[in-house]
Amino acid sequence: MNDLVYERVQSYLARLNLSRIADHLDLLAEEAGKGQWTYLEFLDRLLETELSARYAREVAMKTKLAHFPFVKTLDEFDFAFQPSINERQIRELATVRFVANSENVLLLGPPGVGKTHLAIALGVAAIAQSISVYFLTVADLLDMLHRDAQDDRLGQRLHTLAKPKLLILDEMGYFPLDRMAAQFLFQLVSRRYLKGSIILTSNKSYGDWGDIFADQVLAAAILDRLLHHSTTVNIRGHSYRLRDKRKAGVFSELPAPQKEQ
Ligand code: ADP
Ligand code: MG
């Protein structure tokens, strides 16, 4: 490549926003020469370089926008520790077809069994497929709503939370929801119904949802919409957080049944 052509190519790449190709042009041109790549192979490598960099940038940006409290993947989940979980069902959910179908996922179980981990892992899988995700704890949602109500911004918040294709609502059930919060949640779930997905985690089974909501009718209406197109994963098992303490015998195990002599 003579200097003039090289300069022109770099300026075209800049104008076309092909910065990754610009960065790698020298190296790839050299490799192409050594490897005697065809013109088509060279073009293929250039475009692949640009696209993979764009994809990595997009995933990083979407991960940042998702506001995960931590990032964990399904590969980091030890299914052997939690035998009540059907690994195949979780792997199926990780194909993220449920988001394409605007279905919901409810992860229920006691503290420490991996509900948040799994919710985030499904969020990470969704982002890998270019799906927008937003993670929010119910406690943070309540804080937000009370501030929004004072600033007369509830409508705007509803609009914002209706946008991401996948909304993760973590830790439903630790705090009771007042009437305003329940009404907001009802509107949110209705707004997203058949249009977007929700992953909801809760330490309460559906039967106990009456304790979370002051208004039973509203609780039933929210559950009705959430559950209509949904998968529920009921996790029964020990807390992963406390596994070392269990091993150390901090918790007394149930006595083993006595064998009859
Ligand atoms: P929950 O939301 O059900 O209270 P978390 O998902 O927050 O539980 O899990 C608590 C911690 O234990 C997290 O750091 C999580 O990554 C880890 N964890 C839970 N279950 C497993 C598991 N089966 N394999 C690997 N790590 C796990
Ligand atoms: Mg949790």
Side-chain angles (χ1 to χ4, degrees):
M1 245 186 292
N2 68 41
D3 285 354
L4 204 64
V5 175
Y6 182 82
E7 292 302 323
R8 207 166 54 225
V9 167
Q10 284 290 5
S11 115
Y12 288 156
L13 292 174
R15 282 161 66 188
L16 288 167
N17 280 327
L18 298 169
S19 61
R20 193 58 176 236
I21 292 185
D23 291 345
H24 286 70
L25 185 61
D26 298 1
L27 195 76
L28 286 176
E30 200 184 311
E31 270 187 56
K34 277 191 203 143
Q36 298 189 328
W37 298 352
T38 63
Y39 297 122
L40 206 58
E41 280 168 347
F42 182 47
L43 187 62
D44 178 55
R45 279 296 296 276
L46 291 177
L47 295 177
E48 198 267 330
T49 301
E50 184 67 39
L51 278 179
S52 64
R54 283 189 187 192
Y55 177 71
R57 260 201 311 262
E58 185 198 337
V59 166
M61 179 56 74
K62 284 203 156 79
T63 305
K64 202 169 149 205
L65 290 175
H67 284 102
F68 295 131
F70 54 85
V71 175
K72 288 269 171 94
T73 63
L74 220 48
D75 290 340
E76 293 167 84
F77 195 81
D78 179 3
F79 284 94
F81 184 82
Q82 216 57 264
S84 73
I85 297 179
N86 178 348
E87 180 172 351
R88 257 195 30 215
Q89 183 187 36
I90 303 293
R91 299 245 173 239
E92 163 60 29
L93 289 173
T95 65
V96 204
R97 259 194 289 273
F98 74 97
V99 180
N101 299 333
S102 300
E103 292 168 5
N104 300 324
V105 175
L106 291 101
L107 301 167
L108 308 182
V113 293
K115 301 181 297 296
T116 303
H117 183 139
L118 289 174
I120 290 172
L122 294 178
V124 167
I127 287 174
Q129 294 190 31
S130 299
I131 290 164
S132 53
V133 178
Y134 192 70
F135 180 103
L136 189 66
T137 63
V138 173
D140 285 346
L141 177 70
L142 293 181
D143 277 354
M144 253 183 199
L145 292 184
H146 289 113
R147 270 183 279 125
D148 290 342
Q150 281 168 5
D151 302 343
D152 206 12
R153 259 196 342 218
L154 280 170
Q156 212 176 313
R157 182 69 65 192
L158 188 65
H159 184 71
T160 310
L161 291 179
K163 266 190 193 158
K165 276 300 279 175
L166 173 59
L167 179 70
I168 302 176
L169 273 179
D170 197 28
E171 298 187 345
M172 172 76 93
Y174 286 103
F175 302 96
L177 302 186
D178 60 22
R179 200 173 163 77
M180 192 256 288
Q183 276 172 349
F184 183 90
L185 200 66
F186 174 72
Q187 286 183 50
L188 182 62
V189 170
S190 305
R191 188 88 162 243
R192 298 184 61 88
Y193 181 64
L194 305 181
K195 291 200 201 91
S197 295
I198 294 176
I199 297 179
L200 186 136
T201 81
S202 180
N203 60 335
K204 292 243 176 5
S205 62
Y206 302 135
D208 295 330
W209 273 43
D211 302 345
I212 314 173
F213 293 89
D215 184 329
Q216 303 298 309
V217 179
L218 214 46
I222 292 171
L223 261 181
D224 192 57
R225 278 164 184 73
L226 267 179
L227 295 183
H228 188 198
H229 299 282
S230 70
T231 304
T232 296
V233 179
N234 260 308
I235 312 174
R236 289 171 304 275
H238 297 304
S239 167
Y240 193 83
R241 285 194 195 97
L242 303 179
R243 68 196 185 289
D244 295 333
K245 296 207 175 61
R246 290 186 64 83
K247 267 189 230 148
V250 174
F251 299 104
S252 51
E253 302 281 348
L254 286 174
Q258 297 287 313
K259 272 200 191 130
E260 282 185 23
Q261 299 292 322

